[in-house]
Amino acid sequence: MLRFLTAFGVLQLAIAGGLYLNLRPILIASGWGRTFESLGNKQCTTVPELKACEKVVLHHPSGVLYLACSTQISRTYWTPALDRLDSSGMSTEDYVATYNPKTKKVQRMTLSGFNSSRGINVHGMDVVASSSDPSTLYVYLVNHRKPLIGDSRKVGADSAIEVFRTQLGSDVLTHLQTFEDPSVIITPNDIAGSSDGKSFHVTNDHSLKAGWRRHLNTLLQPSDTSVAYCHADHGCKFAVKGLHASNGIVKGRGANETFYVVDCTLGDISVLERQSDDTLVLTEVIKTGTASDNLSIDENGVLWVAGLSDGVGMVTKQMNDPTVKIASSALRITINEGPGAFYGDKYKVDKVFEDPGELASGTTSATYDARRNRLYMHGLISPHLTVCQL
């Protein structure tokens, strides 16, 4: 018996030690023990009319922002990416908005031809100009729907991708198609759409919709998340598997067939090359050292990252009380042209913004307007849009 208890104790210690070794890098990247600084936040304003906008996309030529927004309180109940699966508190007021920095006008867009009885609950989003008419925009939205059957806390969300068309300056989104494939579009988080409105790549942030194994997989760091590819004429398939904690995704500008996908817990960014069959192949990994969420690329081809400076605080505090202020940051990633390039450091990672939470709280999306030198930041449960002159 003593031998058994001794062996059991050793096993427990081994499990605890393994968990610690896996958790430690996640905790460090998520702000555990970190001192937050004030950086790049001296010339900033806020737009309080816009709340809980998880994703922000900039239309570079016009400078107009498109935002996927909800209510702060509903995010605490219904955010499938963070295992908030109580559909009784999900919002019936989610919307896409535009913000014009010239006029300071916020415009909520209306949906045309969208007849779903389950409404829309927005998360990731992409806005892509048509390749044939730059004034026509395709808007791709992750829609976290309530399941038709079963307790949402046990079966998870019945998520789909909605595709809309609009015109630059219009306040109407015309629905084109709903993509749903529960075997491939499992737990969609963020999306990178095409310029014809017919196809997209979307990240799955977990391999399971609900349950204890879903939590354990994130903590133990197995590579079990993926990117899916869907086409209106050919259906959906996996573009790449074997990623960890896949979150934000963005496609390189112009004819560049490079995609970037961020690991939200460690901040590692996977660089993936598109193949002729629309699958993605991993070519390299960019280490940021900061837990991160959504990605964007400015007109100069610079990659911007929404840093979760206090990811631990966001999950354990702000998601329970939206009034809690959580530190946020923005990272800029460029090709390294300095001395470090000689030693194999291909990319340079610069933190250009950090705020303890007064101006930018719980940021999940950061995008930079290179023409006008403006950085825009918002978040899943943030109280306002933040605009900073850099």
Side-chain angles (χ1 to χ4, degrees):
M1 185 66 177
L2 180 60
R3 183 180 298 173
F4 170 77
L5 291 175
T6 301
F8 183 68
V10 170
L11 179 61
Q12 284 185 312
L13 287 172
I15 292 173
L19 280 172
Y20 174 74
L21 290 174
N22 280 281
L23 277 174
R24 187 172 185 275
I26 292 176
L27 291 171
I28 291 174
S30 299
W32 181 49
R34 182 184 298 164
T35 299
F36 307 114
E37 60 181 321
S38 293
L39 177 67
N41 62 351
K42 303 304 181 185
Q43 300 183 60
C44 301
T45 58
T46 62
V47 183
E49 300 98 311
L50 292 163
K51 301 182 186 299
C53 304
E54 198 275 341
K55 185 68 185 287
V56 177
V57 180
L58 172 68
H59 181 258
H60 295 279
S62 67
V64 172
L65 289 182
Y66 288 78
L67 307 97
C69 308
S70 185
T71 67
Q72 288 178 284
I73 191 63
S74 70
R75 296 289 200 192
T76 67
Y77 287 90
W78 186 248
T79 301
L82 294 177
D83 296 301
R84 300 292 175 131
L85 296 171
D86 184 353
S87 59
S88 68
M90 67 193 303
S91 168
T92 58
E93 303 172 9
D94 281 22
Y95 62 96
V96 173
T98 60
Y99 173 69
N100 188 329
K102 283 186 178 180
T103 62
K104 312 296 184 187
K105 182 180 179 181
V106 173
Q107 178 69 60
R108 292 196 182 198
M109 305 189 77
T110 58
L111 305 184
S112 173
F114 183 68
N115 302 314
S116 173
S117 61
R118 289 188 282 173
I120 195 159
N121 286 268
V122 297
H123 192 89
M125 174 180 69
D126 198 13
V127 180
V128 186
S130 167
S131 55
S132 59
D133 176 12
S135 65
T136 296
L137 306 177
Y138 295 107
V139 179
Y140 299 81
L141 292 172
V142 172
N143 183 11
H144 290 310
R145 306 177 302 188
K146 176 181 177 180
L148 287 171
I149 301 173
D151 183 342
S152 60
R153 289 166 293 191
K154 295 180 179 179
V155 302
D158 179 25
S159 302
I161 307 300
E162 311 291 354
V163 184
F164 296 83
R165 182 180 60 237
T166 190
Q167 296 296 123
L168 184 63
S170 172
D171 64 353
V172 177
L173 289 172
T174 301
H175 189 242
L176 298 179
Q177 187 168 351
T178 297
F179 288 81
E180 46 191 343
D181 186 335
S183 64
V184 179
I185 305 176
I186 305 166
T187 54
N189 188 294
D190 194 25
I191 190 164
S194 67
S195 59
D196 62 1
K198 298 182 70 174
S199 64
F200 56 84
H201 286 82
V202 59
T203 57
N204 285 306
D205 55 38
H206 292 81
S207 60
L208 300 168
K209 290 179 178 288
W212 64 269
R213 284 192 300 157
R214 168 181 159 113
H215 300 280
L216 194 60
N217 285 354
T218 300
L219 296 177
L220 295 180
Q221 299 186 45
S223 299
D224 70 335
T225 65
S226 60
V227 177
Y229 172 77
C230 295
H231 192 284
D233 300 330
H234 309 299
C236 298
K237 65 181 180 181
F238 287 109
V240 62
K241 292 182 177 181
L243 303 178
H244 179 258
S246 301
N247 197 294
I249 183 172
V250 69
K251 179 181 178 294
R253 292 187 60 79
N256 189 341
E257 289 299 320
T258 300
F259 286 75
Y260 303 89
V261 174
V262 70
D263 175 336
C264 68
T265 61
L266 296 171
D268 294 348
I269 298 173
S270 295
V271 183
L272 303 139
E273 294 298 327
R274 187 175 189 172
Q275 308 300 297
S276 59
D277 61 354
D278 300 304
T279 58
L280 302 174
V281 172
L282 179 67
T283 60
E284 55 189 319
V285 175
I286 305 170
K287 300 282 187 180
T288 71
T290 301
S292 305
D293 204 302
N294 288 311
L295 306 171
S296 66
I297 292 182
D298 69 23
E299 281 194 296
N300 296 326
V302 174
L303 183 63
W304 291 81
V305 185
L308 302 174
S309 292
D310 188 10
V312 173
M314 180 183 175
V315 173
T316 62
K317 298 176 183 178
Q318 193 180 42
M319 286 302 295
N320 295 314
D321 179 1
T323 65
V324 174
K325 297 174 181 177
I326 297 298
S328 298
S329 59
L331 311 178
R332 178 180 61 204
I333 300 178
T334 54
I335 298 296
N336 189 3
E337 297 178 348
F342 178 79
Y343 298 101
D345 295 331
K346 181 177 179 180
Y347 297 95
K348 184 181 179 183
V349 180
D350 293 309
K351 182 169 64 175
V352 298
F353 175 93
E354 188 164 66
D355 182 78
E358 295 292 335
L359 286 167
S361 180
T363 293
T364 59
S365 193
T367 187
Y368 184 66
D369 187 339
R371 294 191 190 190
R372 304 161 187 89
N373 301 318
R374 291 193 189 113
L375 176 65
Y376 297 96
M377 291 165 289
H378 214 319
L380 175 76
I381 199 168
S382 299
H384 51 243
L385 171 70
T386 302
V387 186
C388 295
Q389 201 73 29
L390 293 184

